[in-house]
Amino acid sequence: MNAMQFPLTRITIGFVFGILFANYTHFLTPVTSFGLLCLAISLFFIAFYWSKKQLLQNYFFGISTYFLSFCIGISTSIIHSGWYQKDNYIHHIHSSEKQHVLEVVLREKLKSTAYYRRYYALVSRIDGKSCSGKLMVNFNASQFQSDFKIGTQLQIKNNIIRPTRPLNPNQFDYGNYLTQKSVLAQTYVDAFNVKTNGNLIRDAFYYSDCLRTTILNNLKKNHFHVDELNVLAALILGQQQDIAPDIVRDYQFAGAIHILSVSGLHVGFILLFMNFLLRLIPNTKRTSYYKLFIIVLSLWGFAVLAGLSPSVVRSVTMFSFVAFGMHLKRQTNIFHTLVVSLLLILLFEPSFLFDVGFQLSYVSLFFMLWMQPLFHSLWQPKNKIVDYFWQILTVSFAAQIGTLPLSLYYFHQFSGLFFITNIVVIPFLSLIMALGVLVMLLAAFGFVPKILLISLEGLISILNKIISEIASFEQFVLKDIPLNALMLLSLYLVIITLICCFKKVSFQRIVFVLLSILAFQASYFSSSWKSQNQQEWIVFNVKRATLIAEKNGDNVTAFTNIDLTKSNPLQPFLVANFCKITAQKSLGNLAYFKNKKILIIDSLGSYPRQVNPDVMLLRDSPKINLERVFKTCKPKVLVADASNYKSYVALWKATCLKQKIPFHHTNEKGFYRLDD
């Protein structure tokens, strides 16, 4: 059966569109979504009874079914959203300035920064009231030298910060990223803000963390090299928090970053490995069920060990269905399995749909299953070794083609050496996974043979060196490639129509290919044309510095004293708007944009009198009497960037409020823009 003819496929598509609709339109409430769901259920039953009597009503039945799945998607998204849960702690947070007393349980350790140790925590009480919800807790790294155990109960007295929009144009929206993960706020705590309960919540996450900690500590005691151990922890346990930044950079540039995230490749190996071990047991009806139970238990045990990340949950769910098909001797359509796993996961956790790793996992797996047979059919070597490497190459090409648009959309870069990387990496990864799983099982019991330890460490060291060597050819890494949402969709349309045409050439399919190419070109040229006909003057929010960009078409003039070659805050803006820096100039006291006059007052506090500017910009904390300045200059709006002292900004804000002059602080409201 064709995957699209599978009824659950079309139902799942309707369900996914419902989740997207609920996420990107914010006018629906739980009451309206419930009313819409009741309407959809009523229409479904009416269509069902009519379809029994009249053949024509089958169309109505199909439409009502898809509408019902669409409404279920909306309802599922809203039910799981913390914003609509009455007991969520976020409804008690009305100001980021007010302190609250929270009782939380640490659930997941995140990658630390230079200043903070970060965790996801579950909130149980706020200000003495029972509540729920997920919170990010940032512990001051200088005061908390060691990690907390997962399951630790803490009492935190501090202010809670709700997610804010990006402070610069086209900047990564970290607040939205956290919201998509159901993390609706975060807090930054020092040692005096926290009290430890002393009791631990001993759930699956606690035991998973204890097992991982035991394994890693036993390997450290046996002098396993730190860099290799951190890579091994990522490959087997899904723990990427402690990998050195330069190693991560090498894997990114080599196009091998996907192997540091436990996904279908790793879970598929676990399935094959368990099947290999259980081949010794005779195949009977009873033993088949025993084997199935052991395999599924092993897969979900691995998922818990890897921290139940979205990519692991997806892979384990899908391969669990594959295992059912294999051991029940039923022919399993892998596309149907993929659809069922997607539907089940999103029913329980719809926010996974917006996880980048989750999207990349599903897209790469879909294209591997769909395109790899086509590539492999172009040439079928008779030599088994040659055929093995040819299969690796075709799988790699299929996955990279499928994930290319998403990678460009999210990361704006692409490694041209991915095919070389995958030919080398996958054989190494098979050996490392086989030996790594064995070593970690032994390490869990405190017994690690030296020969296995040295062999595993050597394999990972060689892998890192190969990756580093490939990554050194930076000229093959294409960076800063602009791709917006419209171009993303049209590029996928081009890829899909091309594949369909290659599978079976026809005039109609060739027409679709040409139309999709025209759609992609139209999306590109419309985005480029919009950028070239746009003029803007923007004050960016840069800590302890001033940065102003004047955009005229695809040319940008940067007014700043900072070195943009070392760190360029303009880069996301340049990439998103198809433009480049053509000049960098120092800041003066007067600027003009179109018919607007801009007065800039710096730390010297000097300025020309009787200017009457449209915009006044204060930078580098000038010591001025603002009321006196207003009498002589009379600006229409006052802007203060992030180079000013907070105490000065507070005084300026109060003065503007008194004088009824609009005040814009970039550290609160984000960038300030003058445009057409």
Side-chain angles (χ1 to χ4, degrees):
M1 181 189 292
N2 186 293
M4 285 304 297
Q5 293 176 341
F6 186 45
L8 201 57
T9 300
R10 288 173 283 181
I11 290 171
T12 302
I13 291 172
F15 179 78
V16 167
F17 273 109
I19 295 174
L20 293 172
F21 183 81
N23 184 75
Y24 292 111
T25 58
H26 303 286
F27 60 86
L28 288 174
T29 64
V31 174
T32 54
S33 65
F34 180 73
L36 201 61
L37 181 62
C38 290
L39 174 64
I41 293 172
S42 301
L43 290 174
F44 173 79
F45 279 111
I46 292 171
F48 177 74
Y49 284 112
W50 280 3
S51 65
K52 286 185 174 182
K53 299 177 180 179
Q54 301 179 31
L55 183 61
L56 186 62
Q57 297 301 326
N58 283 334
Y59 294 102
F60 180 42
F61 177 68
I63 293 170
S64 65
T65 303
Y66 302 141
F67 180 62
L68 176 59
S69 65
F70 177 78
C71 292
I72 292 174
I74 293 174
S75 302
T76 302
S77 182
I78 288 178
I79 288 170
H80 284 84
S81 173
W83 297 107
Y84 298 112
Q85 295 171 0
K86 291 184 178 180
D87 65 339
N88 195 286
Y89 72 90
I90 199 67
H91 300 302
H92 299 274
I93 311 298
H94 304 295
S95 171
S96 60
E97 303 298 324
K98 182 182 177 182
Q99 289 195 338
H100 297 272
V101 178
L102 296 171
E103 294 179 20
V104 304
V105 179
L106 298 184
R107 170 52 57 86
E108 181 183 350
K109 180 188 174 186
L110 305 174
K111 188 176 181 66
S112 299
T113 66
Y115 303 103
Y116 295 102
R117 294 180 181 272
R118 305 184 302 163
Y119 291 81
Y120 286 150
L122 299 180
V123 182
S124 57
R125 299 181 72 83
I126 181 169
D127 299 327
K129 300 176 182 177
S130 296
C131 63
S132 64
K134 193 186 289 187
L135 173 77
M136 176 184 277
V137 184
N138 301 272
F139 296 97
N140 191 320
S142 63
Q143 299 177 9
F144 296 91
Q145 301 295 330
S146 58
D147 293 328
F148 288 96
K149 286 187 175 181
I150 299 302
T152 300
Q153 296 186 73
L154 301 173
Q155 185 183 80
I156 299 173
K157 184 179 181 181
N158 202 22
N159 56 326
I160 311 300
I161 302 171
R162 298 175 70 160
T164 57
R165 64 184 181 87
L167 297 177
N168 286 316
N170 308 112
Q171 189 179 31
F172 175 65
D173 194 341
Y174 190 65
N176 183 62
Y177 168 79
L178 291 178
T179 301
Q180 301 292 10
K181 291 180 172 290
S182 302
V183 181
L184 301 184
Q186 55 182 323
T187 184
Y188 295 83
V189 298
D190 296 313
F192 60 84
N193 296 123
V194 180
K195 291 182 181 178
T196 306
N197 184 303
N199 296 324
L200 296 170
I201 301 297
R202 302 176 188 274
D203 56 8
F205 293 93
Y206 166 79
Y207 288 111
S208 171
D209 181 64
C210 286
L211 182 57
R212 287 196 301 266
T213 303
T214 300
I215 291 170
L216 295 176
N217 285 340
N218 286 336
L219 292 175
K220 287 177 184 177
K221 288 177 184 177
N222 284 273
H223 309 293
F224 204 104
H225 193 269
V226 175
D227 285 343
E228 281 72 25
L229 179 59
N230 291 336
V231 171
L232 180 65
L235 291 173
I236 310 293
L237 303 177
Q239 304 300 301
Q240 305 176 45
Q241 299 93 331
D242 300 318
I243 301 179
D246 57 330
I247 294 178
V248 174
R249 175 185 169 279
D250 286 344
Y251 276 79
Q252 287 175 336
F253 281 12
I257 191 65
H258 59 282
I259 73 169
L260 295 181
S261 301
V262 176
S263 59
L265 183 65
H266 305 74
V267 178
F269 175 82
I270 298 296
L271 177 62
L272 293 174
F273 183 68
M274 292 305 301
N275 268 322
F276 175 76
L277 292 179
L278 295 173
R279 286 175 62 186
L280 300 174
I281 301 175
N283 282 324
T284 64
K285 187 175 181 180
R286 179 177 292 181
T287 57
S288 179
Y289 286 104
Y290 291 151
K291 287 182 180 182
L292 176 61
F293 176 77
I294 293 170
I295 288 173
V296 172
L297 186 64
S298 300
L299 292 177
W300 283 101
F302 178 76
V304 172
L305 187 63
L308 294 171
S309 67
S311 59
V312 175
V313 170
R314 184 274 307 168
S315 301
V316 169
T317 303
M318 190 199 68
F319 280 106
S320 295
F321 279 93
V322 172
F324 271 97
M326 289 169 57
H327 286 269
L328 297 179
K329 305 298 182 184
R330 293 177 184 172
Q331 188 176 6
T332 305
N333 186 316
I334 194 66
F335 290 106
H336 299 171
T337 303
L338 203 63
V339 169
V340 171
S341 66
L342 175 66
L343 182 60
L344 284 176
I345 291 170
L346 294 181
L347 273 170
F348 288 99
E349 194 54 73
S351 64
F352 278 6
L353 181 63
F354 306 99
D355 184 272
V356 177
F358 185 81
Q359 294 173 14
L360 290 171
S361 292
Y362 260 99
V363 169
S364 64
L365 190 54
F366 173 79
F367 275 90
M368 279 192 289
L369 295 171
W370 191 34
M371 290 180 62
Q372 195 275 338
L374 177 64
F375 288 156
H376 190 256
S377 65
L378 298 176
W379 180 45
Q380 296 180 336
K382 295 181 179 178
N383 186 289
K384 290 185 178 180
I385 297 176
V386 176
D387 186 58
Y388 172 73
F389 283 100
W390 173 239
Q391 287 191 46
I392 292 175
L393 189 60
T394 54
V395 166
S396 176
F397 264 114
Q400 289 292 340
I401 289 172
T403 57
L404 176 63
L406 273 178
S407 298
L408 295 179
Y409 178 72
Y410 286 116
F411 310 117
H412 302 290
Q413 72 175 34
F414 173 71
S415 173
L417 297 177
F418 70 89
F419 54 93
I420 295 176
T421 303
N422 281 277
I423 288 176
V424 176
V425 162
I426 291 180
F428 259 99
L429 186 62
S430 301
L431 291 172
I432 291 170
M433 284 289 293
L435 192 55
V437 169
L438 177 60
V439 167
M440 287 198 166
L441 286 174
L442 295 173
F445 296 99
F447 173 71
V448 186
K450 199 71 175 177
I451 184 66
L452 295 181
L453 204 69
I454 294 172
S455 301
L456 181 59
E457 186 178 334
L459 284 172
I460 298 174
S461 178
I462 293 170
L463 177 63
N464 287 345
K465 288 176 181 177
I466 293 171
I467 292 293
S468 178
E469 189 65 30
I470 295 173
S472 65
F473 295 94
E474 292 191 29
Q475 61 270 30
F476 290 98
V477 181
L478 307 178
K479 301 177 184 177
D480 302 328
I481 303 170
L483 194 80
N484 55 33
L486 188 60
M487 291 170 64
L488 171 71
L489 295 175
S490 57
L491 183 54
Y492 267 120
L493 188 63
V494 171
I495 293 172
I496 291 170
T497 53
L498 276 172
I499 297 168
C500 291
C501 190
F502 280 132
K503 282 180 174 287
K504 185 180 179 181
V505 180
S506 66
F507 175 76
Q508 187 180 23
R509 294 190 178 193
I510 292 173
V511 170
F512 281 133
V513 170
L514 295 175
L515 289 175
S516 65
I517 293 173
L518 285 174
F520 178 72
Q521 290 177 330
S523 64
Y524 173 78
F525 286 119
S526 64
S527 301
S528 180
W529 180 86
K530 181 181 178 182
S531 175
Q532 289 177 359
N533 289 274
Q534 191 176 40
Q535 291 182 312
E536 297 176 303
W537 188 88
I538 304 173
V539 180
F540 281 73
N541 184 76
V542 182
K543 192 175 183 180
R544 299 194 186 98
T546 297
L547 174 59
I548 299 171
E550 184 175 334
K551 181 179 181 295
N552 188 1
D554 56 0
N555 297 319
V556 172
T557 302
F559 297 90
T560 184
N561 295 323
I562 62 177
D563 187 359
L564 296 178
T565 59
K566 293 182 179 179
S567 176
N568 189 357
L570 283 173
Q571 199 59 40
F573 173 78
L574 298 175
V575 173
N577 290 277
F578 300 80
C579 53
K580 59 185 180 297
I581 296 176
T582 54
Q584 181 173 341
K585 299 179 180 180
S586 298
L587 291 155
N589 289 116
L590 278 175
Y592 297 89
F593 178 75
K594 300 236 172 177
N595 57 348
K596 305 271 175 121
K597 186 187 297 181
I598 302 136
L599 174 63
I600 302 172
I601 303 179
D602 57 19
S603 58
L604 297 176
S606 61
Y607 58 94
R609 305 297 193 260
Q610 305 299 329
V611 174
N612 296 332
D614 295 282
V615 178
M616 179 187 289
L617 171 64
L618 302 180
R619 73 181 190 92
D620 294 333
S621 306
K623 296 179 180 179
I624 57 174
N625 186 319
L626 195 57
E627 290 186 358
R628 190 179 302 161
V629 174
F630 284 162
K631 288 179 182 178
T632 58
C633 290
K634 300 177 182 178
K636 294 179 181 177
V637 61
L638 181 68
V639 179
D641 66 12
S643 66
N644 298 288
Y645 296 134
K646 290 183 180 179
S647 57
Y648 284 30
V649 172
L651 290 173
W652 297 335
K653 186 176 182 180
T655 303
C656 286
L657 185 64
K658 182 180 177 181
Q659 297 289 333
K660 296 182 180 179
I661 294 176
F663 179 72
H664 186 106
H665 184 207
T666 61
N667 213 29
E668 290 180 0
K669 298 181 179 180
F671 62 95
Y672 179 79
R673 172 187 280 150
L674 292 174
D675 52 18
D676 297 337

Short mmCIF file of all heavy atoms in Angstrom, two decimals, residues 328-366:
data_model
loop_
_atom_site.label_atom_id
_atom_site.label_comp_id
_atom_site.label_asym_id
_atom_site.label_seq_id
_atom_site.Cartn_x
_atom_site.Cartn_y
_atom_site.Cartn_z
N LEU A 328 6.32 -10.79 15.22
CA LEU A 328 4.99 -11.37 15.02
C LEU A 328 4.83 -11.89 13.60
O LEU A 328 3.75 -12.28 13.18
CB LEU A 328 3.90 -10.34 15.33
CG LEU A 328 3.86 -9.84 16.79
CD1 LEU A 328 2.77 -8.80 16.97
CD2 LEU A 328 3.64 -11.01 17.75
N LYS A 329 5.96 -11.86 12.84
CA LYS A 329 6.01 -12.39 11.48
C LYS A 329 5.01 -11.71 10.56
O LYS A 329 4.40 -12.33 9.70
CB LYS A 329 5.73 -13.91 11.49
CG LYS A 329 6.65 -14.71 12.39
CD LYS A 329 8.10 -14.60 11.96
CE LYS A 329 9.01 -15.45 12.85
NZ LYS A 329 10.43 -15.28 12.50
N ARG A 330 4.85 -10.38 10.75
CA ARG A 330 3.97 -9.62 9.86
C ARG A 330 4.80 -8.65 9.05
O ARG A 330 5.73 -8.04 9.55
CB ARG A 330 2.92 -8.85 10.68
CG ARG A 330 1.94 -9.76 11.40
CD ARG A 330 0.98 -8.97 12.26
NE ARG A 330 0.10 -9.85 13.01
CZ ARG A 330 -0.74 -9.43 13.96
NH1 ARG A 330 -0.81 -8.15 14.25
NH2 ARG A 330 -1.50 -10.29 14.59
N GLN A 331 4.41 -8.50 7.79
CA GLN A 331 5.13 -7.58 6.92
C GLN A 331 4.82 -6.15 7.34
O GLN A 331 3.67 -5.74 7.39
CB GLN A 331 4.72 -7.80 5.46
CG GLN A 331 5.58 -7.00 4.48
CD GLN A 331 5.22 -7.31 3.05
OE1 GLN A 331 4.27 -8.05 2.81
NE2 GLN A 331 5.97 -6.76 2.12
N THR A 332 5.83 -5.41 7.70
CA THR A 332 5.65 -4.06 8.22
C THR A 332 6.07 -3.03 7.20
O THR A 332 7.20 -3.06 6.73
CB THR A 332 6.48 -3.87 9.50
OG1 THR A 332 6.15 -4.89 10.44
CG2 THR A 332 6.24 -2.50 10.12
N ASN A 333 5.15 -2.15 6.81
CA ASN A 333 5.51 -1.02 5.97
C ASN A 333 6.15 0.02 6.87
O ASN A 333 5.51 0.58 7.76
CB ASN A 333 4.27 -0.45 5.28
CG ASN A 333 4.63 0.63 4.28
OD1 ASN A 333 5.45 1.49 4.54
ND2 ASN A 333 3.98 0.58 3.12
N ILE A 334 7.44 0.29 6.62
CA ILE A 334 8.18 1.16 7.52
C ILE A 334 7.62 2.58 7.53
O ILE A 334 7.68 3.28 8.53
CB ILE A 334 9.68 1.17 7.13
CG1 ILE A 334 10.52 1.79 8.26
CG2 ILE A 334 9.90 1.87 5.82
CD1 ILE A 334 10.54 1.00 9.51
N PHE A 335 7.01 3.01 6.40
CA PHE A 335 6.40 4.33 6.37
C PHE A 335 5.18 4.39 7.29
O PHE A 335 4.96 5.40 7.97
CB PHE A 335 5.98 4.69 4.93
CG PHE A 335 7.14 4.96 4.02
CD1 PHE A 335 7.51 4.03 3.06
CD2 PHE A 335 7.86 6.12 4.13
CE1 PHE A 335 8.58 4.28 2.21
CE2 PHE A 335 8.93 6.38 3.29
CZ PHE A 335 9.30 5.45 2.33
N HIS A 336 4.42 3.31 7.34
CA HIS A 336 3.28 3.26 8.26
C HIS A 336 3.77 3.30 9.71
O HIS A 336 3.17 3.96 10.56
CB HIS A 336 2.46 1.98 8.02
CG HIS A 336 1.90 1.89 6.64
ND1 HIS A 336 1.29 0.75 6.17
CD2 HIS A 336 1.85 2.80 5.63
CE1 HIS A 336 0.89 0.97 4.91
NE2 HIS A 336 1.23 2.20 4.57
N THR A 337 4.85 2.58 9.96
CA THR A 337 5.44 2.57 11.30
C THR A 337 5.87 3.97 11.70
O THR A 337 5.66 4.41 12.83
CB THR A 337 6.67 1.63 11.34
OG1 THR A 337 6.26 0.32 10.95
CG2 THR A 337 7.26 1.57 12.73
N LEU A 338 6.46 4.68 10.76
CA LEU A 338 6.91 6.05 11.00
C LEU A 338 5.73 6.95 11.35
O LEU A 338 5.79 7.76 12.28
CB LEU A 338 7.62 6.57 9.75
CG LEU A 338 8.61 7.72 9.91
CD1 LEU A 338 9.78 7.30 10.76
CD2 LEU A 338 9.10 8.18 8.54
N VAL A 339 4.63 6.80 10.62
CA VAL A 339 3.45 7.62 10.84
C VAL A 339 2.82 7.32 12.19
O VAL A 339 2.45 8.23 12.95
CB VAL A 339 2.42 7.39 9.71
CG1 VAL A 339 1.08 8.02 10.06
CG2 VAL A 339 2.93 7.96 8.40
N VAL A 340 2.70 6.03 12.54
CA VAL A 340 2.10 5.64 13.82
C VAL A 340 2.93 6.18 14.98
O VAL A 340 2.39 6.71 15.96
CB VAL A 340 1.97 4.10 13.91
CG1 VAL A 340 1.56 3.69 15.31
CG2 VAL A 340 0.95 3.59 12.90
N SER A 341 4.26 6.06 14.87
CA SER A 341 5.12 6.56 15.95
C SER A 341 4.99 8.07 16.08
O SER A 341 4.95 8.61 17.18
CB SER A 341 6.58 6.17 15.70
OG SER A 341 7.10 6.82 14.55
N LEU A 342 4.92 8.79 14.94
CA LEU A 342 4.77 10.24 14.96
C LEU A 342 3.46 10.64 15.65
O LEU A 342 3.45 11.53 16.52
CB LEU A 342 4.78 10.77 13.53
CG LEU A 342 4.52 12.27 13.34
CD1 LEU A 342 5.63 13.09 13.95
CD2 LEU A 342 4.37 12.62 11.86
N LEU A 343 2.37 9.97 15.29
CA LEU A 343 1.06 10.30 15.86
C LEU A 343 1.04 10.04 17.36
O LEU A 343 0.56 10.87 18.15
CB LEU A 343 -0.03 9.48 15.16
CG LEU A 343 -1.47 9.74 15.62
CD1 LEU A 343 -1.86 11.20 15.39
CD2 LEU A 343 -2.44 8.82 14.89
N LEU A 344 1.57 8.91 17.80
CA LEU A 344 1.57 8.57 19.22
C LEU A 344 2.40 9.55 20.03
O LEU A 344 1.99 10.00 21.11
CB LEU A 344 2.11 7.15 19.42
CG LEU A 344 1.15 6.00 19.07
CD1 LEU A 344 1.84 4.66 19.22
CD2 LEU A 344 -0.09 6.05 19.98
N ILE A 345 3.59 9.89 19.52
CA ILE A 345 4.46 10.82 20.25
C ILE A 345 3.80 12.18 20.38
O ILE A 345 3.79 12.79 21.47
CB ILE A 345 5.83 10.94 19.55
CG1 ILE A 345 6.60 9.63 19.68
CG2 ILE A 345 6.64 12.08 20.13
CD1 ILE A 345 7.84 9.56 18.82
N LEU A 346 3.22 12.69 19.29
CA LEU A 346 2.63 14.02 19.33
C LEU A 346 1.33 14.06 20.14
O LEU A 346 0.97 15.12 20.66
CB LEU A 346 2.37 14.52 17.91
CG LEU A 346 3.62 14.77 17.07
CD1 LEU A 346 3.24 15.28 15.68
CD2 LEU A 346 4.56 15.76 17.75
N LEU A 347 0.66 12.94 20.26
CA LEU A 347 -0.52 12.89 21.14
C LEU A 347 -0.13 13.13 22.59
O LEU A 347 -0.84 13.80 23.34
CB LEU A 347 -1.23 11.54 21.00
CG LEU A 347 -2.26 11.40 19.89
CD1 LEU A 347 -2.69 9.95 19.74
CD2 LEU A 347 -3.48 12.27 20.17
N PHE A 348 1.01 12.58 22.99
CA PHE A 348 1.46 12.72 24.38
C PHE A 348 2.31 13.97 24.59
O PHE A 348 2.34 14.51 25.70
CB PHE A 348 2.25 11.48 24.80
CG PHE A 348 1.40 10.26 24.99
CD1 PHE A 348 1.31 9.30 24.00
CD2 PHE A 348 0.67 10.08 26.15
CE1 PHE A 348 0.52 8.17 24.16
CE2 PHE A 348 -0.12 8.96 26.33
CZ PHE A 348 -0.21 8.00 25.34
N GLU A 349 3.00 14.43 23.55
CA GLU A 349 3.87 15.61 23.70
C GLU A 349 3.90 16.40 22.39
O GLU A 349 4.84 16.30 21.60
CB GLU A 349 5.28 15.17 24.09
CG GLU A 349 6.18 16.28 24.59
CD GLU A 349 5.58 17.08 25.74
OE1 GLU A 349 5.53 16.55 26.86
OE2 GLU A 349 5.15 18.21 25.49
N PRO A 350 2.86 17.21 22.13
CA PRO A 350 2.79 17.95 20.86
C PRO A 350 3.92 18.96 20.68
O PRO A 350 4.24 19.32 19.55
CB PRO A 350 1.42 18.65 20.94
CG PRO A 350 1.05 18.65 22.39
CD PRO A 350 1.67 17.43 22.97
N SER A 351 4.53 19.41 21.77
CA SER A 351 5.62 20.39 21.64
C SER A 351 6.85 19.80 20.96
O SER A 351 7.71 20.53 20.46
CB SER A 351 6.02 20.93 23.03
OG SER A 351 6.55 19.90 23.84
N PHE A 352 6.95 18.45 20.90
CA PHE A 352 8.08 17.82 20.20
C PHE A 352 8.11 18.22 18.72
O PHE A 352 9.17 18.21 18.10
CB PHE A 352 7.98 16.29 20.30
CG PHE A 352 8.52 15.73 21.59
CD1 PHE A 352 8.93 16.55 22.62
CD2 PHE A 352 8.61 14.36 21.77
CE1 PHE A 352 9.42 16.04 23.80
CE2 PHE A 352 9.11 13.83 22.95
CZ PHE A 352 9.52 14.67 23.97
N LEU A 353 6.95 18.58 18.17
CA LEU A 353 6.88 18.92 16.76
C LEU A 353 7.79 20.11 16.43
O LEU A 353 8.27 20.24 15.30
CB LEU A 353 5.43 19.26 16.37
CG LEU A 353 5.16 19.63 14.91
CD1 LEU A 353 5.48 18.45 13.99
CD2 LEU A 353 3.71 20.06 14.72
N PHE A 354 8.04 20.98 17.41
CA PHE A 354 8.83 22.19 17.18
C PHE A 354 10.28 22.02 17.62
O PHE A 354 11.05 22.98 17.57
CB PHE A 354 8.18 23.37 17.91
CG PHE A 354 6.73 23.55 17.56
CD1 PHE A 354 5.73 23.06 18.39
CD2 PHE A 354 6.37 24.16 16.38
CE1 PHE A 354 4.40 23.20 18.06
CE2 PHE A 354 5.04 24.31 16.04
CZ PHE A 354 4.05 23.83 16.88
N ASP A 355 10.64 20.82 18.02
CA ASP A 355 12.03 20.54 18.39
C ASP A 355 12.84 20.30 17.11
O ASP A 355 12.47 19.46 16.28
CB ASP A 355 12.09 19.31 19.30
CG ASP A 355 13.49 19.03 19.79
OD1 ASP A 355 14.23 18.31 19.09
OD2 ASP A 355 13.84 19.51 20.87
N VAL A 356 13.94 21.04 16.95
CA VAL A 356 14.73 20.96 15.72
C VAL A 356 15.28 19.55 15.51
O VAL A 356 15.22 19.01 14.40
CB VAL A 356 15.89 21.98 15.75
CG1 VAL A 356 16.76 21.85 14.50
CG2 VAL A 356 15.36 23.40 15.88
N GLY A 357 15.79 18.94 16.58
CA GLY A 357 16.31 17.58 16.47
C GLY A 357 15.24 16.58 16.07
O GLY A 357 15.49 15.66 15.28
N PHE A 358 14.03 16.76 16.60
CA PHE A 358 12.91 15.90 16.26
C PHE A 358 12.56 16.03 14.77
O PHE A 358 12.36 15.03 14.07
CB PHE A 358 11.72 16.29 17.13
CG PHE A 358 10.51 15.41 16.97
CD1 PHE A 358 10.43 14.20 17.63
CD2 PHE A 358 9.45 15.80 16.17
CE1 PHE A 358 9.31 13.39 17.49
CE2 PHE A 358 8.33 15.00 16.03
CZ PHE A 358 8.26 13.79 16.69
N GLN A 359 12.51 17.27 14.28
CA GLN A 359 12.22 17.50 12.86
C GLN A 359 13.29 16.88 11.97
O GLN A 359 12.97 16.20 10.98
CB GLN A 359 12.13 19.00 12.61
CG GLN A 359 10.97 19.70 13.28
CD GLN A 359 11.04 21.20 13.13
OE1 GLN A 359 11.80 21.74 12.33
NE2 GLN A 359 10.24 21.91 13.92
N LEU A 360 14.55 17.11 12.31
CA LEU A 360 15.65 16.57 11.51
C LEU A 360 15.65 15.05 11.51
O LEU A 360 15.93 14.41 10.49
CB LEU A 360 16.99 17.10 12.02
CG LEU A 360 17.26 18.59 11.76
CD1 LEU A 360 18.51 19.05 12.50
CD2 LEU A 360 17.40 18.87 10.27
N SER A 361 15.32 14.45 12.66
CA SER A 361 15.29 12.98 12.76
C SER A 361 14.25 12.38 11.83
O SER A 361 14.53 11.45 11.08
CB SER A 361 15.01 12.56 14.21
OG SER A 361 16.08 12.89 15.05
N TYR A 362 13.04 12.93 11.89
CA TYR A 362 11.96 12.37 11.06
C TYR A 362 12.20 12.61 9.58
O TYR A 362 12.01 11.71 8.75
CB TYR A 362 10.61 12.97 11.48
CG TYR A 362 9.85 12.05 12.38
CD1 TYR A 362 9.86 12.23 13.76
CD2 TYR A 362 9.14 10.98 11.87
CE1 TYR A 362 9.18 11.38 14.59
CE2 TYR A 362 8.45 10.11 12.69
CZ TYR A 362 8.47 10.32 14.05
OH TYR A 362 7.81 9.45 14.87
N VAL A 363 12.64 13.82 9.24
CA VAL A 363 12.87 14.14 7.83
C VAL A 363 13.99 13.28 7.26
O VAL A 363 13.88 12.73 6.15
CB VAL A 363 13.19 15.64 7.67
CG1 VAL A 363 13.69 15.94 6.26
CG2 VAL A 363 11.94 16.47 7.94
N SER A 364 15.10 13.15 8.01
CA SER A 364 16.23 12.36 7.51
C SER A 364 15.84 10.89 7.34
O SER A 364 16.18 10.26 6.32
CB SER A 364 17.43 12.48 8.46
OG SER A 364 17.13 11.94 9.72
N LEU A 365 15.09 10.35 8.30
CA LEU A 365 14.69 8.95 8.21
C LEU A 365 13.72 8.72 7.05
O LEU A 365 13.83 7.74 6.31
CB LEU A 365 14.05 8.51 9.53
CG LEU A 365 13.78 7.01 9.69
CD1 LEU A 365 15.04 6.20 9.43
CD2 LEU A 365 13.23 6.71 11.07
N PHE A 366 12.78 9.67 6.87
CA PHE A 366 11.84 9.55 5.76
C PHE A 366 12.56 9.54 4.42
O PHE A 366 12.30 8.69 3.56
CB PHE A 366 10.83 10.69 5.81
CG PHE A 366 9.92 10.75 4.61
CD1 PHE A 366 8.84 9.89 4.49
CD2 PHE A 366 10.17 11.65 3.57
CE1 PHE A 366 8.01 9.93 3.36
CE2 PHE A 366 9.36 11.70 2.45
CZ PHE A 366 8.27 10.83 2.36
#
